[in-house]
Amino acid sequence: MVEKLSSNENPFPPLPGVLSAVTDAAADLNRYPDMATSELIAALAELNGVENDQIVVGNGSTAVLETILKALCQEGDEVVHAWRSFEAYPIAVAVTGATSVPVPLTSEGRHDVDAMLAAVTDRTRAILLCTPNNPTGPVLTQAEVERVLAEAPSDVLVLLDEAYVEFVRDPDVVDAASLLPHHSRLVVLRTFSKAYGLAGLRVGYAVGRARLVGGFRAASTPFGVNALAQVAALESLRHRAELLERVEQLVQERGRLVAALRGQGWDIPDAQGNFVWFDVGDRAGVLARAFAEAGVIVRPFAGEGVRVTVGDRDANDIVIDVAGDFIAGA
Ligand SMILES: *Cc1c(COP(=O)(O)O)cnc(C)c1O
């Protein structure tokens, strides 16, 4: 059996209630979706303690990010982000004609906030912050994000990508809800792809000031969230407690996995998402092949390292076995 641990997917299948809601909704596929996505937006506003006009939804948070950058940037502009970070960032920036300014992570796989602030120029339109950082795992702290908000020029948008927020257990993690009311240029990105297990349906959203969000909505593709995705996301919010229990199980598995790997001698950075990072440099390809030979598909980044998603218990046991053999033979 092949274990796919390469895309940070949720190993649990959809909840029965979510599946039946989607199946029922499929009977009406001849109809357009709700163009305003009103019910889902109202539910997300309630969840986040904000007004409806502070939420913009899209076809996955990657699409929301693209919409935001397209509304914001033109040729000659710059967008600062950490690197290595989410692969979609440089692509989303390039589509707008703007230039990515990648800033290397620290040796611990954290955002280098000093270097990121130093990389800001009068052409910078946005700073992207990925917490926890994909693929390395550590979060940005409240103090780090407050520093960015205090020191970056006031016309620079600060985009906080919290794709894995439900998996975070680090008490120092940034609390976006506490910052949003005080910072008009802060925008937070969230997704249903990871903790909610709806990667295949594509739903994500952003939260920010109504004036900004209005502009992002105007720049969005009409009917950007399809009818089945709207139903599934809404139904998932109704089953949030049950889904968060699954997240907790994955967090427990993450703890077991990280402890086992560190026990073998691996230097695994703080893992706050549903993935772990092997900082193996130019042995990334070799390590990924060792996993593949054991039936586990992982994500190598040539010359940098290997990202492995936390799977179910059996899959994680294989990861532990392969990693143990690899470090013993290395
Ligand atoms: C997975 C992920 C997303 C979510 O992407 P979707 O388009 O919503 O599936 C966003 N940001 C990061 C850092 C991710 O890893």
Side-chain angles (χ1 to χ4, degrees):
M1 189 189 145
V2 172
E3 301 281 2
K4 183 167 177 269
L5 302 183
S6 52
S7 298
N8 293 350
E9 291 155 341
N10 193 315
F12 291 100
L15 288 172
V18 174
L19 205 53
S20 65
V22 169
T23 310
D24 291 350
D28 295 323
L29 283 181
N30 52 313
R31 305 294 177 189
Y32 277 104
D34 171 14
M35 189 170 182
T37 332
S38 339
E39 244 192 304
L40 178 57
I41 284 179
L44 289 171
E46 196 189 325
L47 177 70
N48 288 280
V50 299
E51 300 299 322
N52 292 0
D53 60 5
Q54 291 185 259
I55 304 274
V56 52
V57 293
N59 187 43
S61 60
T62 310
V64 180
L65 172 68
E66 283 178 2
T67 299
I68 291 172
L69 292 179
K70 267 189 272 181
L72 202 70
C73 299
Q74 48 193 6
E75 221 171 301
D77 291 339
E78 294 174 352
V79 177
V80 173
H81 59 78
W83 200 251
R84 170 70 56 183
S85 191
F86 188 34
E87 304 106 287
Y89 295 160
I91 299 166
V93 173
V95 165
T96 71
T99 304
S100 268
V101 180
V103 177
L105 298 168
T106 70
S107 59
E108 294 174 321
R110 309 185 66 93
H111 284 50
D112 186 339
V113 171
D114 285 325
M116 291 181 81
L117 285 166
V120 172
T121 71
D122 55 9
R123 297 181 156 193
T124 307
R125 301 291 289 142
I127 302 179
L128 304 183
L129 303 173
C130 187
T131 177
N133 188 54
N134 174 6
T136 52
V139 297
L140 278 122
T141 64
Q142 180 85 351
E144 285 172 328
V145 177
E146 279 177 349
R147 243 196 92 200
V148 173
L149 289 165
E151 294 182 27
S154 59
D155 59 342
V156 173
L157 192 83
V158 176
L159 258 168
L160 195 64
D161 185 348
E162 295 194 323
Y164 303 92
V165 67
E166 297 87 351
F167 295 93
V168 173
R169 297 295 180 269
D170 181 343
D172 293 330
V173 69
V174 56
D175 173 19
S178 75
L179 297 174
L180 276 167
H182 308 291
H183 297 280
S184 57
R185 41 70 172 266
L186 177 64
V187 173
V188 180
L189 281 168
R190 295 274 182 91
T191 180
F192 282 86
S193 295
K194 309 287 162 52
Y196 289 85
L198 296 180
L201 274 174
R202 319 299 306 126
V203 196
Y205 65 100
V207 191
R209 278 288 161 93
R211 257 189 66 188
L212 272 178
V213 164
F216 302 152
R217 282 187 182 184
S220 297
T221 309
F223 304 111
V225 180
N226 72 68
L228 301 186
Q230 291 189 31
V231 165
L234 255 173
E235 194 63 23
S236 296
L237 290 174
R238 294 190 187 111
H239 294 275
R240 188 170 144 83
E242 218 174 320
L243 288 165
L244 291 182
E245 268 170 43
R246 292 172 156 196
V247 168
E248 180 56 29
Q249 284 181 50
L250 291 169
V251 167
Q252 298 292 326
E253 272 300 295
R254 176 182 76 198
R256 186 176 77 87
L257 180 61
V258 169
L261 296 172
R262 287 186 180 153
Q264 294 169 347
W266 288 101
D267 185 11
I268 304 290
D270 188 25
Q272 294 291 321
N274 67 342
F275 52 88
V276 296
W277 176 245
F278 294 83
D279 182 11
V280 289
D282 49 18
R283 289 186 304 154
V286 186
L287 178 58
R289 266 196 300 284
F291 281 120
E293 279 162 19
V296 178
I297 311 303
V298 300
R299 179 69 62 89
F301 296 94
E304 293 178 67
V306 174
R307 189 193 69 201
V308 182
T309 306
V310 177
D312 59 25
R313 199 176 171 87
D314 291 347
N316 301 333
D317 280 340
I318 303 173
V319 171
I320 293 168
D321 283 349
V322 173
D325 289 348
F326 191 89
I327 201 165

